[in-house]
Amino acid sequence: MRILLTGGAGYVGTHTALGLDAAGHDVIILDDLSNSCAAAVSRVESIIGKPVSFYHGDCRDTDLVRSVFVHENPDAVIHLAGLKAVGESVAQPLRYYDVNINATLSLLTVMGEADVHKLIFSSSATVYGEPEALPLTEENRVGVGISNPYGWTKFMIERILMDLADTDPAWQICLLRYFNPVGAHESGLIGEDPQGIPNNLMPFVAQAAAGRRAKVLVFGNDYDTVDGTGERDYIHVMDLGRGHVQAVDHLTPGVSVYNLGTGQPTSVLEVIRAFEQVCGTTIPFEITSRRPGDVAVSYCSPAKAEQELGWIAERTILDACKDSWKWQSMNPDGYPR
C-alpha cells in the first residue's frame, strides 16, 4: 500500500517509515518540521536505499493536504502529526488544542473527499488519566482524571474518530495508545532529537551522559513506587514502528484500539542506572519538584495487541539505552541543521 505518514519526519515517524518500507509499503511523508528536520528524512532514505516522497507543510493547511492526496494517491494514513509535550501543553493549552485537533479535522476532511478511509491514529496512554487499575488494558475507562491538555487533545480526537466511524461504515480506524517511546535505530543514523530542552527522559539522560547537559532533572522522588521516582512503560521505538505496520495489516471496519507497550514499568532512576551500564560512566542527576500533569505509575497490558495483531515488544530497556547511546555518540548535536 501507499501510506501517508503525517509527522513522518519526527522521532516515531522516521522509525515507522523504516518498518513500513521493510514490509513492502510505499511511504509518503508530510511534516511541518516544527520538531524535526529534513535531514531525518534524508537519513531514512540512506537506510532504505531509495528516495521517499516528502512534503513540507502543516496538516492544518487543508489545501496543502489536498494537493498531497492528488499527487500521491495514498491508500491509508498513519496520523502522527501533533504537539506532544505534557508540560508544554499545561503552559500553552490553546496552542495544543489548535494544532492537534485542527490538524486532525483537516486531514479527515480531505480523506473523506478522496475516499480514503483507512487510518491509524497516534494516540497516547494519557487518555487513561489517573490509572484506576494497573496494568492498563483497552477496557479501562478513558477521559477521567486526564491531567493535561495534551492528554485531552488525544482523548478528544479519539472521540471524533469514534463518532465518524459510527456515521460511516466505510471507515477503518485503529487507535494506537503509545506508552513511552525510547531508543533509536541500531544504525545510529536516526533517533530522538528534540529541539531545546528535552521533554522526554531518555534524550535528557543521553545528553547528560555525553556531557551536553550537566545533569538529569528527576521530577519528584516521593511517589509510591519502587524508589520514589515515576514509573513508566518504556517501549523501544523500533518495536513501536513495527506495531504500526501490523496495525495497518489488520485494519477492519469500525474502530479498534490497542495499547503498545512492554507491560513492564521502569522507574526514572532505573533508566538512569541502565544507561550508565551501556555508556560506562556515572550520570549526575538532581531531584526536583514534581512536574504538573504527571502520574506516579503508568504501564499497560499489551495482551490484546499480541492476540489480535501478533505484536509483542521484543527489545528491552537495555537495548533502548544501547541504541540511544549509539545515536547520541554518533550525533552529539543531533541532526545537522
Side-chain angles (χ1 to χ4, degrees), residues 85-335:
V86 167
E88 184 181 66
S89 78
V90 175
Q92 303 176 32
L94 292 183
R95 178 173 173 240
Y96 269 68
Y97 288 119
D98 175 23
V99 172
N100 291 2
I101 294 176
N102 286 326
T104 304
L105 294 175
S106 173
L107 176 66
L108 292 173
T109 297
V110 175
M111 289 181 69
E113 294 170 354
D115 198 28
V116 176
H117 296 102
K118 297 179 184 291
L119 175 67
I120 308 293
F121 173 59
S122 160
S123 191
S124 166
T126 57
V127 301
Y128 292 115
E130 185 72 38
E132 59 178 340
L134 293 169
L136 289 160
T137 74
E138 292 83 356
E139 302 304 314
N140 277 76
R141 69 184 185 188
V142 294
V144 177
I146 297 175
S147 57
N148 55 80
Y150 164 73
W152 280 116
T153 67
K154 293 297 188 180
F155 170 77
M156 292 174 182
I157 293 169
E158 285 196 4
R159 185 68 262 172
I160 290 167
L161 295 174
M162 290 176 182
D163 289 344
L164 180 62
D166 284 343
T167 64
D168 185 349
W171 285 92
Q172 299 180 34
I173 298 171
C174 180
L175 312 178
L176 296 181
R177 292 175 180 160
Y178 304 175
F179 280 69
N180 293 68
V182 290
H185 187 254
E186 56 267 24
S187 67
L189 291 175
I190 61 172
E192 188 170 10
D193 181 27
Q195 297 184 27
I197 298 173
N199 291 293
N200 298 326
L201 175 63
M202 188 68 81
F204 218 124
V205 173
Q207 290 180 12
R212 187 171 163 186
R213 298 200 177 272
K215 58 193 171 185
V216 178
L217 295 179
V218 178
F219 298 103
N221 67 341
D222 56 352
Y223 290 109
D224 185 16
T225 61
V226 63
D227 55 25
T229 64
E231 294 180 340
R232 296 292 183 270
D233 192 335
Y234 294 99
I235 174 176
H236 197 293
V237 69
M238 289 301 295
D239 285 334
L240 183 60
R242 184 167 44 82
H244 289 78
V245 177
Q246 290 175 239
V248 166
D249 293 340
H250 289 81
L251 280 169
T252 56
V255 177
S256 55
V257 183
Y258 298 99
N259 290 331
L260 293 184
T262 66
Q264 176 64 47
T266 305
S267 77
V268 174
L269 292 183
E270 286 173 333
V271 171
I272 292 173
R273 301 308 180 213
F275 210 100
E276 288 176 336
Q277 288 185 48
V278 302
C279 72
T281 189
T282 298
I283 299 172
F285 64 87
E286 176 185 338
I287 305 296
T288 187
S289 58
R290 294 185 182 190
R291 186 169 51 183
D294 278 350
V295 299
V297 183
S298 179
Y299 69 101
C300 76
S301 166
K304 184 180 178 186
E306 180 178 3
Q307 292 164 3
E308 298 186 11
L309 303 181
W311 176 91
I312 59 170
E314 297 175 346
R315 296 166 175 84
T316 67
I317 191 68
L318 278 173
D319 293 328
C321 291
K322 178 185 68 175
D323 293 334
S324 290
W325 181 234
K326 184 172 184 179
W327 154 256
Q328 181 65 51
S329 300
M330 291 176 61
N331 306 271
D333 297 316
Y335 290 112

